[in-house]
C-alpha cells in the first residue's frame, strides 16, 4: 500500500533534514510490562496503515507513504522517571530529533518509567497526523494496553484527494478550472513576494506548561456560556490582550487558529490518520471593552468559519505542487505577521479509569517546526482541568516575554472570572 503525499504533507515533511514533530504526553498510574506496551503499539499499527509507513521517493523525488511488509515496529525509548517534569525535558529532546523516515515509521514512543506511575509520550511527524488523529490512536493504545484482546477495528485509510473531495466536486470541470486558476495566481504571487536572504535564526526553543484546576476551568466555561462565546474565542482574546500588554506596539494583534477539517468533510473519520488543516486568523478591537470585543470576535469567527471551503482549498493546493519550494521559502524566510498560533483541542473524550490502570492526566500536545514563527499555544481539557502548552523560540519571542505573557494571561482570566462571580 502506498500513496503520494499531499501538498500540505509535503510542506510539513520538508526535505527530511529538519524535524517538525508533535508530541502527546500522558501520565498513567499502574505498573506495566514492556511486552504489553509493545503489543498495544503493534495493534494500533495493525489498524492504521500509515502508522507503519515509511517515506520513499520516486524518480522525480516526490515523496510517498509506503507500507512495508513485514511491519517495522514503532521504536520505543525507555528512561527512568526521576521527577514530575521529566516529560517536559523529554518533549524538548524529541522536538529536535529527526525521523529516519526511510528506515522507521513516522511515529515513536517514549516511556518514562517509574514505580506505580509512568509518563508516556507519543512522538510523531506532523506530516503524518494532526491532534485529532493522535487522540484517536491514543485512545486505542490505552484500550489495548488494558485488554490485549480488545478489538479496535481496522482503518480504511485515505489514499488520496479523491477519498476526501466528493467526486461531484473533484471531477467538475468548472471547479477544476477554478482551482487551477487560483493555484496559478497564488503560485505567481508567492514567487515574487520579497523575503529575507536567509531564514530567521530561531535560537533556543523552550516549553512552558500550566493548568487551571477544576474550579477555575468550570468557571471559565460558565463565563463563556454566559457571554455566548466559545472557549476558543475567549482564550484567543485573552492571549491577544496579553501579547499587547507585554509587547506593546511590537504586537501584531493576530492569532492563527486551526479549524478541524472533520467539521466540514464527513469523509474524514475520527480515527483517520490525516494531517490536513484549515486556518482562520483573529484580531481584537482595541477600541472597545473586552466584553464587547468578545462579541465582535465571535461574530468574526462564525463569519470566517462559514466561508471555509476545504474541498476547494485542497484542490487549489494539489494544483500547486510545483510551487512548493517557493511557498516553503516564503514561510521560512518571510516576515512574521502574527503573534501566535493557538489551538484548542477541547474536551478529550478518553476514559479515566481502566481495569489495570488509571489515566492521571493527558497533557496538551506540543509541536514545533521550521516553517516560520514557532510561537504556539495548545490547550485541551481532561478530567475537568484545562491544560496549556506554550512553546516558542528565543529568535521569535524571548523566553522572558513568553513567561510574562503566560502570567498576564492567567492574571487577566482570573480577574475576569472573579469579577463575573461577584456580579
Amino acid at each position: 500500500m502506498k500513496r503520494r503525499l499531499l501538498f500540505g504533507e509535503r510542506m510539513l515533511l520538508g526535505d527530511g533534514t529538519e524535524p517538525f514533530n508533535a508530541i502527546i504526553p500522558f501520565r498513567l498510574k499502574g505498573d506495566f510490562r514492556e511486552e504489553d506496551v509493545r503489543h498495544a503499539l503493534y495493534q494500533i499499527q495493525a489498524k492504521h496503515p500509515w502508522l507503519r509507513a515509511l517515506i520513499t521517493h520516486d524518480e522525480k523525488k516526490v515523496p510517498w507513504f509506503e507500507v512495508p511488509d513485514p511491519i517495522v515496529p514503532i521504536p520505543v525509548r525507555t528512561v527512568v522517571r526521576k521527577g514530575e517534569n521529566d516529560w517536559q525535558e523529554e518533549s524538548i529532546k524529541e522536538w529536535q530529533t529527526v525521523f529516519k523516515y526511510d528506515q522507521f515509521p513516522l511515529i515513536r514512543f517514549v516511556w518514562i518509567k517509574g514505580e506505580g506511575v509512568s509518563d508516556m509520550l507519543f512522538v510523531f511527524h506532523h506530516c503524518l497526523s494532526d491532534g485529532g488523529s493522535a487522540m484517536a490512536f491514543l485512545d486505542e493504545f490505552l484500550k489495548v494496553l488494558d485488554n490485549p484482546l480488545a478489538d479496535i477495528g481496522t482503518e480504511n485509510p485515505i489514499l488520496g484527494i479523491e477519498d476526501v473531495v466528493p467526486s461531484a466536486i473533484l471531477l467538475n470541470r468548472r471547479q477544476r478550472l477554478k482551482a487551477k486558476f487560483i493555484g496559478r495566481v497564488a503560485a505567481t504571487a508567492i514567487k515574487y513576494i520579497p523575503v529575507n536572504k536567509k531564514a530567521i535564526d530561531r535560537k533556543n526553543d523552550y516549553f512552558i506548561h500550566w493548568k487551571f484546576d477544576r474550579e477555575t476551568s468550570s468557571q471559565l466555561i460558565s463565563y463563556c456560556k454566559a457571554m455566548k462565546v466559545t472557549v476558543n474565542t475567549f482564550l484567543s482574546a485573552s492571549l491577544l490582550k496579553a501579547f499587547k500588554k507585554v509587547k506593546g506596539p511590537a504586537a501584531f494583534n493576530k492569532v492563527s487558529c486551526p479549524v478541524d477539517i472533520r467539521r466540514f468533510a464527513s469523509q474524514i473519520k475520527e480515527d483517520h490518520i490525516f494531517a490536513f488543516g484549515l486556518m482562520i486568523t483573529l484580531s481584537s478591537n482595541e477600541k472597545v471593552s473586552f466584553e464587547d470585543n468578545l462579541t465582535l470576535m465571535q461574530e468574526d469567527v462564525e463569519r470566517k468559519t462559514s466561508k471555509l471551503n476545504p474541498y476547494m482549498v485542497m484542490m487549489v493546493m494539489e494544483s500547486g505542487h510545483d510551487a512548493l519550494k517557493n511557498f516553503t521559502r516564503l514561510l521560512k524566510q518571510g516576515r512574521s505577521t502574527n503573534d501566535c498560533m493557538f489551538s484548542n483541542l477541547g474536551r478529550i473524550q478518553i476514559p479515566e479509569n481502566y481495569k489495570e490502570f488509571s489515566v492521571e492526566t493527558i497533557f496538551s500536545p506540543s509541536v514545533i517546526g521550521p516553517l516560520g514563527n514557532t510561537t504556539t499555544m495548545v490547550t485541551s481539557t481532561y478530567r475537568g482541568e484545562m491544560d496549556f502548552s506554550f512553546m516558542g523560540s528565543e529568535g521569535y519571542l524571548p523566553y522572558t516575554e513568553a513567561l510574562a505573557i503566560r502570567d498576564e494571561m492567567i492574571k487577566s482570566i482570573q480577574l475576569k472570572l472573579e469579577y463575573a462571580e461577584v456580579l
Side-chain angles (χ1 to χ4, degrees), residues 104-256:
F104 300 99
L106 290 159
I107 181 170
R108 52 182 180 254
F109 191 81
V110 180
W111 181 5
I112 308 171
K113 188 176 182 180
E115 288 191 19
V117 60
S118 287
D119 293 333
M120 298 179 175
L121 282 63
F122 271 111
V123 185
F124 53 94
H125 199 292
H126 200 14
C127 77
L128 176 72
S129 172
D130 63 5
S133 298
M135 289 302 163
F137 64 69
L138 169 57
D139 182 41
E140 294 159 359
F141 169 81
L142 294 172
K143 287 177 180 176
V144 181
L145 184 61
D146 186 53
N147 175 14
L149 299 179
D151 182 6
I152 57 174
T154 302
E155 179 194 2
N156 184 20
I158 292 171
L159 297 175
I161 188 174
E162 63 277 2
D163 288 339
V164 178
V165 180
S167 58
I169 298 174
L170 186 63
L171 301 179
N172 182 284
R173 185 173 181 272
R174 185 175 180 180
Q175 295 292 320
R176 290 165 66 94
L177 289 173
K178 179 181 178 181
K180 191 170 184 178
F181 174 75
I182 295 173
R184 288 301 89 199
V185 170
T188 302
I190 288 169
K191 186 176 181 180
Y192 292 104
I193 293 176
V195 297
N196 299 319
K197 291 183 179 181
K198 61 179 182 179
I200 293 173
D201 180 7
R202 49 188 246 209
K203 304 177 183 177
N204 292 332
D205 300 326
Y206 54 80
F207 185 33
I208 302 170
H209 171 262
W210 73 95
K211 280 181 179 289
F212 285 151
D213 60 24
R214 290 190 182 189
E215 182 180 358
T216 302
S217 300
S218 178
Q219 288 174 342
L220 193 158
I221 293 170
S222 296
Y223 175 83
C224 292
K225 287 181 179 178
M227 294 297 297
K228 297 181 180 180
V229 300
T230 64
V231 170
N232 192 76
T233 298
F234 173 73
L235 292 176
S236 295
S238 301
L239 182 59
L240 287 169
K241 182 181 177 183
F243 264 92
K244 181 64 176 177
K245 181 69 178 292
V246 173
K247 295 187 69 68
F252 293 107
N253 189 30
K254 287 184 180 179
V255 59
S256 301

